[in-house]
């Protein structure tokens, strides 16, 4: 081998490994940043939950205090003094808004016309309401409620507490992020900065956390804070983290990968040079020296990348457990679980004495809770995993006496990202294996440069067709395989990985196997239509003008639009005024409900399918008949053979390849029948015409269970694969080897 060829091989290998490395780096960065945004959004929800819990806690504390006191005009001063030990001010008003008593640093505002007070008066409730208020340089929590004095009079009490300057910093310390607040008019509270108006507008419009990477390298998350009525936006709670922190994980990833791919490159180059120099067995040696590259890809995509994402998920879970430990008792007492669910984007479960007493899950889902597995404890909060409707969740459990409050956080985003990364790793290993095959082929044929050049030119011309095939055939097939292992619903954003659950459901689905039974029965029309089309082909196998016309007429159903002909057949098969029943009436046969009876509906569709397939099968058989040399028939005539003997000993044996082709394609077509079922019966009556292909369509586009439909498609593929193998075996190798 010349030095030039060696240089080419080393260049190709180098380029490929560099491409793998660059792709891995960019792919991981894309996945990591995308998932990081999701995690930061969850952490922003935790910050919001902390603030809302403080609001709720403050209001409940004031409410509980007043419930235990005898309230009268004479002791308002002492009550106000007690409340102001932990508050900034307290004000008592009568129902008309007149101030009865004030204590502390009362802001100069029109409290009576404030929305908080007006909501209390409108609802005529004795429950407390709490909200955030903004002063020039501070944020206040205020709670208001209507109380009854011992004389039976109603009084309004409004209590306010100014949050300390480092309040938002404490929230940030809990979740290891910078946290601050921006009011609706743009004031910044806490150690923060102004964020883009577009981000705030997007968060307000979507009513959910939104993320943005600023020019200064900050990953900023804005979550809208609504007023006590959950109607108007008071401001935005902002979480931020320096993007340099995010880049650190990416940098560690790069350093390890550079080492792995560099070592793999050196070993593979050494293997190429050894193969060339020592003239060893090319493929086995190259495969051995490519193992480090394959294992490097396996390590990166199966272990390293998923581990980084799992670390981010654990950090978020631990932050949630700390907040649950601090405020869980308050929410247990109020049981406002729907509000918790909305803020944290989790499901809530309350268990008392091992019985579920309250939950945000639907009742039919509660019976699917299974596989509880404890992982660890963080202080008094237990963290573990369980299955909810066969989807993996992380649970956080806080025990208070006989009650246990569980927060159930779906792991679908993490699991799906991990599965996608591992799937991409498998693809990269396959691509690397193809490279090894190409290298082996090139080294093996280095002494035949013209052959190598011709092969390269050939594949260059084939490239457009190959790309088209990969994109429009192999791509959808691979994606359907991916779907089969997910619970994929078009309208549900969560598409969890469920492993073999779709296939388990498939084997337990009586409707699917009923559809499979109907499909097998429907396929019995294939040999009938083949026999008729063969006789028809023999009949028109003559070189006359009338035969050409007849061939055209017989072939017309094959080229006519399927929906159009099916609609015509619907009129033909009509029980009351269909032409078929009209003709049968001449023979004394009563009207038959062809399409409305479970006993005849499938038979009617089989008759129509036989008529539709006669033309296409006839043309194929005709081509097979005309390929048989006439000399065989002439020799048989000389030997005294009659027409039946010629058909039996010449036509049938020599038509074997054609017969196999027609049989295989017709059986596959019969298992994929859809149009007649959809137009005529929609699987009825009583599912007597529910065939597999229609059942798959129904699962995908009526029930919107794309993952389950994909699993059914793969089951159909396996059934057809087995049937095709059996057909090939029955007809023998000589009947199909010419096709391969």
């Amino acid at each position: 081998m010349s030095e030039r060829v060696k240089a080419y091989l080393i260049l190709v290998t180098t380029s490929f490994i560099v491409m793998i490395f660059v792709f891995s780096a960019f792919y991981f960065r894309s996945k990591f940043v995308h998932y990081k945004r999701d995690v930061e959004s969850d952490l922003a929800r935790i910050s919001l939950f902390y603030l809302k819990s403080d609001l709720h806690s403050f209001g409940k504390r004031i409410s509980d205090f007043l419930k235990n006191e005898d309230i009268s005009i004479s002791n308002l001063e002492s009550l106000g003094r007690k409340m102001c030990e932990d508050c900034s001010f307290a004000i008592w008003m009568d129902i008309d808004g007149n101030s009865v008593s004030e204590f502390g640093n009362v802001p100069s505002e029109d409290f009576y016309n404030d929305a908080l007070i007006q909501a209390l008066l409108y609802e005529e409730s004795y429950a407390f309401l709490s909200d955030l208020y903004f002063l020039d340089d501070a944020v206040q929590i205020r709670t208001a409620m209507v109380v009854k004095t011992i004389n039976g009079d109603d009084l309004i009490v409004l209590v306010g507490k100014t949050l300390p300057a480092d309040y938002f910093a404490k929230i940030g310390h809990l979740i290891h992020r910078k946290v601050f607040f921006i009011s609706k008019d743009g004031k910044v509270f806490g150690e923060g900065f102004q964020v883009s108006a577009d981000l705030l507008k997007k968060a307000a419009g979507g009513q959910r956390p939104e993320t943005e990477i600023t020019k200064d390298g900050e990953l900023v998350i804005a979550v809208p804070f609504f007023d006590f009525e959950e109607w108007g936006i008071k401001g935005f709670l902002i979480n931020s983290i320096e993007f340099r922190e995010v880049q650190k994980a990416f940098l560690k990833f790069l350093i390890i990968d550079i080492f792995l791919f560099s070592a793999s490159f050196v070993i593979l180059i050494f293997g190429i040079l050894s193969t060339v120099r020592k003239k060893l067995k090319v493929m086995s040696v190259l495969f051995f020296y490519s193992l480090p590259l394959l294992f490097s890809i396996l390590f990166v995509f199966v272990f390293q990348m998923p581990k980084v994402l799992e670390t981010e998920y654990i950090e978020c879970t631990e932050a949630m457990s700390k907040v649950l430990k601090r405020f869980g008792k308050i929410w247990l007492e109020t049981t406002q679980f729907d509000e918790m669910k909305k803020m944290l984007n989790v499901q809530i479960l309350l268990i008392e004495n091992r019985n579920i007493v309250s939950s945000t899950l639907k009742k039919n889902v509660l019976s699917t809770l299974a596989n509880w597995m404890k992982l660890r404890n963080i202080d008094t909060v237990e963290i573990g995993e369980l299955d909810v409707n066969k989807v993996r969740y992380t649970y956080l459990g806080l025990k208070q006496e006989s009650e246990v409050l569980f927060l159930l956080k779906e792991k679908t985003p993490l699991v799906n990202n991990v599965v996608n990364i591992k799937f991409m790793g498998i693809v990269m290993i396959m691509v690397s294996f193809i490279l090894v095959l190409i290298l082996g082929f090139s080294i093996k044929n280095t002494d035949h440069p013209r052959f190598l050049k011709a092969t390269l030119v050939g594949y260059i011309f084939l490239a457009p067709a190959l790309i088209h095939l990969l994109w429009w055939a192999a791509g959808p097939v691979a994606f359907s395989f991916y779907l089969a292992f997910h619970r994929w619903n078009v309208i549900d954003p969560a598409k969890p990985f469920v492993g073999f659950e779709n296939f388990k459901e498939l084997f337990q689905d009586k409707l699917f196997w009923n559809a499979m039974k109907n499909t097998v029965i429907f396929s019995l029309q294939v040999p009938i239509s083949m026999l008729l089309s063969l006789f028809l082909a023999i009949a028109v196998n003559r070189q006359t003008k009338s035969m050409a016309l007849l061939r055209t007429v017989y072939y017309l159903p094959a080229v006519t639009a399927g929906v159009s002909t099916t609609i015509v057949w619907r009129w033909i098969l009509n029980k009351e005024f269909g032409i078929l029943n009209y003709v049968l009436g001449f023979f004394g046969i009563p009207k038959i409900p062809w399409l409305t009876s479970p006993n005849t509906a499938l038979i009617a569709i089989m008759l129509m399918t036989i008529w539709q397939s006669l033309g296409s099968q006839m043309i194929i058989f005709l081509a097979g008949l005309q390929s048989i040399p006439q000399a065989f028939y002439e020799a048989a005539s000389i030997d005294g053979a009659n027409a039946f003997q010629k058909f039996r000993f010449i036509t049938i044996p020599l038509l074997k390849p054609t017969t196999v082709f027609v049989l295989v394609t017709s059986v596959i077509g019969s298992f994929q029948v859809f149009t007649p079922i959809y137009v005529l019966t929609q699987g009825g009556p009583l599912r007597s015409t529910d065939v597999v292909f229609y059942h798959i369509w129904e699962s995908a586009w009526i029930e919107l269970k794309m993952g389950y439909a994909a699993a059914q498609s793969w089951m159909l593929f396996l059934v057809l694969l087995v049937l095709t193998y059996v057909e090939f075996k029955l007809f023998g190798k000589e009947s199909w080897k010419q096709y391969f």
Side-chain angles (χ1 to χ4, degrees):
M1 181 186 294
S2 66
E3 295 298 324
R4 185 179 178 183
V5 175
K6 289 181 183 178
Y8 277 139
L9 290 174
I10 293 173
L11 179 63
V12 169
T13 306
T14 305
S15 302
F16 180 76
I17 293 180
V18 168
M19 286 172 60
I20 290 180
F21 172 74
V22 171
F23 174 80
S24 301
F26 277 97
Y27 180 78
F28 174 68
R29 188 179 187 280
S30 170
K31 282 289 180 185
F32 180 69
V33 171
H34 177 75
Y35 186 68
K36 185 70 174 176
R37 288 176 182 266
D38 291 341
V39 170
E40 293 301 325
S41 295
D42 286 340
L43 288 170
R45 291 178 184 276
I46 294 171
S47 301
L48 177 66
F49 180 69
Y50 188 107
L51 181 56
K52 287 274 190 179
S53 298
D54 250 351
L55 267 172
H56 196 77
S57 174
F58 177 69
K60 190 173 187 309
R61 191 163 65 249
I62 298 299
S63 175
D64 291 345
F65 170 75
L66 293 175
K67 283 179 182 177
N68 297 323
E69 298 289 337
D70 293 328
I71 302 171
S72 64
I73 300 297
S74 60
N75 71 347
L76 292 183
E77 183 176 351
S78 63
L79 290 176
R81 198 174 290 114
K82 287 180 182 179
M83 287 189 293
C84 285
E85 290 176 0
D86 189 41
C87 306
S88 302
F89 73 91
I91 181 170
W92 301 84
M93 295 178 286
D94 59 23
I95 298 301
D96 296 324
N98 300 312
S99 176
V100 178
S101 183
E102 297 181 1
F103 303 92
N105 300 318
V106 181
S108 56
E109 299 177 19
D110 182 7
F111 295 110
Y112 184 73
N113 290 315
D114 183 74
L116 196 67
I117 304 299
Q118 291 299 312
L120 274 176
L121 297 175
Y122 177 78
E123 294 176 4
E124 297 182 355
S125 170
Y126 291 93
F128 65 88
L129 295 177
S130 301
D131 209 347
L132 273 188
Y133 287 82
F134 307 103
L135 307 179
D136 291 335
D137 57 352
V139 179
Q140 275 191 347
I141 297 176
R142 295 180 187 175
T143 189
M145 62 185 298
V146 177
V147 296
K148 272 193 177 296
T149 66
I150 56 177
N151 297 323
D153 299 323
D154 286 341
L155 288 178
I156 302 170
V157 58
L158 176 65
V159 184
K161 177 184 177 181
T162 302
L163 297 177
D166 63 345
Y167 175 80
F168 294 108
K170 288 180 180 178
I171 301 178
H173 178 73
L174 182 71
I175 62 173
H176 307 293
R177 300 291 184 273
K178 181 188 289 185
V179 178
F180 56 96
F181 198 94
I182 297 180
S183 64
K184 189 177 180 181
D185 56 3
K187 288 183 180 179
V188 178
F189 298 93
E191 298 177 3
F193 49 85
Q194 290 291 345
V195 302
S196 71
D198 289 340
L199 176 63
L200 300 181
K201 184 177 180 181
K202 192 176 178 182
Q207 299 184 12
R208 63 176 183 268
E210 295 291 347
T211 61
E212 179 184 75
I213 299 175
T214 67
K215 295 179 180 178
D216 298 329
E218 292 275 345
L219 179 57
V220 179
I221 307 92
V223 55
F225 184 92
F226 289 87
D227 60 18
F228 67 95
E229 294 178 307
E230 293 294 321
W231 183 256
I233 292 179
K234 303 278 288 190
F236 301 88
L237 194 63
I238 309 295
N239 282 18
S240 75
I241 181 175
E242 290 187 7
F243 203 63
R244 286 192 297 271
E245 297 295 325
V246 179
Q247 299 284 25
K248 283 182 181 178
F250 182 63
L251 184 59
K252 292 177 183 177
F253 170 84
L254 283 181
I255 292 171
I256 296 172
D257 284 8
I258 288 172
F259 172 77
L260 287 175
F261 284 104
S262 298
S264 302
F265 166 73
V266 171
I267 294 171
L268 188 55
I269 293 298
F270 178 78
I272 292 172
L273 295 178
S274 298
T275 305
V276 172
R277 185 171 61 254
K278 298 179 181 179
K279 297 183 179 180
L280 302 170
K281 291 183 179 180
V282 177
M283 294 311 303
S284 57
V285 173
L286 272 184
F287 179 74
F288 175 77
Y289 282 104
S290 66
L291 286 177
L293 175 61
L294 300 179
F295 281 121
S296 296
I297 296 172
L298 186 69
F299 172 78
V300 169
F301 284 89
V302 177
F303 298 102
Q304 188 186 34
M305 290 186 187
K307 185 65 177 177
V308 175
L309 300 189
E310 287 167 5
T311 302
E312 292 290 327
Y313 180 81
I314 291 171
E315 180 184 354
C316 178
T317 304
E318 290 179 351
M320 189 179 293
S321 69
K322 293 175 184 177
V323 177
L324 178 63
K325 175 195 170 186
R326 179 162 182 166
F327 297 107
K329 184 178 179 180
I330 299 165
W331 293 96
L332 261 173
E333 293 173 355
T334 59
T335 66
Q336 294 180 358
F337 297 142
D338 287 333
E339 190 175 350
M340 284 184 73
K341 173 185 175 181
K342 182 179 178 181
M343 279 190 285
L344 291 173
N345 193 27
V346 296
Q347 298 291 344
I348 311 297
L349 197 65
L350 179 61
I351 295 180
E352 185 175 2
N353 297 324
R354 297 187 178 182
N355 295 316
I356 298 174
V357 295
S358 182
S359 175
T360 57
L361 292 167
K362 295 179 180 179
K363 289 184 178 179
N364 62 324
V365 177
L366 290 175
S367 60
T368 66
L369 301 179
N371 301 326
W372 293 73
M373 182 176 68
K374 179 181 175 180
L375 298 177
R376 61 190 180 279
N377 280 86
I378 297 180
D379 294 328
T380 57
V381 178
E382 179 184 312
I383 299 178
E385 293 184 356
L386 80 157
D387 290 334
V388 180
N389 199 17
K390 300 177 182 178
V391 177
R392 205 62 179 162
Y393 277 69
T394 296
Y395 73 80
L396 294 87
L398 178 67
K399 188 172 183 180
Q400 293 288 331
E401 298 177 355
S402 62
E403 293 181 324
V404 184
L405 177 64
F406 286 101
L407 270 60
L408 309 182
K409 179 175 174 58
E410 191 173 347
K411 288 189 71 176
T412 297
L414 173 65
V415 173
N416 282 356
N417 274 288
V418 169
V419 169
N420 292 344
I421 289 170
K422 290 180 178 180
F423 182 77
M424 184 57 66
I426 294 172
V427 172
M428 294 303 295
I429 289 174
M430 292 174 62
V431 171
S432 302
F433 187 72
I434 292 172
L435 169 72
V436 173
L437 292 177
I438 294 172
L439 284 174
F441 177 79
S442 302
I443 294 171
K444 196 173 182 180
N445 293 280
T446 49
D447 297 332
H448 307 87
R450 288 187 177 179
F451 175 68
L452 282 176
K453 185 177 180 180
T455 303
L456 177 62
V457 171
Y459 276 103
I460 289 173
F461 279 104
L462 279 174
L466 287 174
I467 293 170
H468 181 274
L469 182 66
L470 288 172
W471 185 258
W472 294 109
V477 168
F479 186 62
S480 71
F481 185 76
Y482 175 84
L483 284 182
F485 295 94
H486 288 75
R487 181 175 296 158
W488 195 285
N489 190 304
V490 177
I491 60 176
D492 187 357
K495 297 170 174 58
F497 175 78
V498 293
F500 289 95
E501 291 300 327
N502 285 326
F503 292 95
K504 290 179 182 177
E505 182 181 348
L506 179 65
F507 283 105
Q508 298 170 0
D509 186 356
K510 294 181 180 179
L511 295 180
F512 174 79
W513 294 108
N514 173 68
M516 184 65 75
K517 179 201 72 176
N518 291 337
T519 306
V520 172
I521 295 172
F522 176 81
S523 298
L524 297 178
Q525 51 83 22
V526 170
I528 299 173
S529 65
M530 286 179 63
L531 188 63
L532 293 176
S533 59
L534 175 59
F535 289 150
L536 199 60
I538 293 171
V540 298
N541 188 23
R542 302 172 188 174
Q543 299 300 324
T544 62
K545 292 182 179 180
S546 60
M547 288 301 106
L549 178 61
L550 284 175
R551 292 173 191 173
T552 303
V553 171
Y554 292 144
Y555 190 65
L556 276 177
V559 295
T560 307
V563 175
S564 303
T565 55
T566 305
I567 291 173
V568 171
W569 272 91
R570 184 167 64 187
W571 288 95
I572 293 173
L573 297 170
N574 189 279
K575 178 184 176 181
E576 301 301 329
F577 46 80
I579 191 172
L580 183 57
N581 277 343
Y582 179 76
V583 172
L584 293 176
F586 287 115
F587 301 96
I589 299 175
K591 293 180 178 180
I592 300 173
W594 290 104
L595 298 176
T596 55
S597 170
N599 299 321
T600 56
L602 192 61
I603 296 172
I605 295 175
M606 291 169 68
L607 291 174
M608 188 199 75
T609 306
I610 291 172
W611 172 81
Q612 281 184 324
S613 59
L614 278 178
S616 57
Q617 292 178 354
M618 178 203 71
I619 290 296
I620 297 171
F621 276 124
L622 184 61
L625 288 171
Q626 292 181 350
S627 67
I628 299 174
Q630 288 297 315
F632 291 159
Y633 293 105
E634 292 170 358
S637 298
I638 294 172
D639 291 338
N642 57 32
F644 177 76
Q645 290 172 327
K646 291 178 186 178
F647 176 74
R648 179 183 175 186
F649 295 107
I650 297 176
T651 303
I652 290 179
L654 294 180
L655 270 182
K656 257 192 176 184
T658 305
T659 306
V660 169
F661 176 81
V662 173
L663 177 64
V664 170
T665 55
S666 298
V667 169
I668 292 173
S670 68
F671 270 76
Q672 295 177 337
V673 63
F674 176 77
T675 302
I677 306 296
Y678 181 75
V679 175
L680 295 177
T681 61
Q682 290 82 49
L686 301 178
R687 292 195 173 273
S688 60
T689 61
D690 183 19
V691 292
V692 173
F693 211 73
Y694 181 81
H695 194 78
I696 292 172
W697 174 85
E698 196 175 47
S699 297
W701 297 107
I702 302 300
E703 300 174 7
L704 300 179
K705 296 163 65 176
M706 296 292 177
Y708 184 53
Q712 293 179 70
S713 300
W714 278 96
M715 179 59 68
L716 175 61
F717 166 75
L718 292 176
V719 170
L720 288 174
L721 187 67
V722 171
L723 284 176
T724 303
Y725 176 78
V726 171
E727 289 161 359
F728 281 167
K729 277 292 185 181
L730 286 175
F731 279 84
K733 187 177 180 180
E734 70 279 357
S735 62
W736 53 264
K737 64 180 180 181
Q738 70 181 67
Y739 295 118
F740 298 94

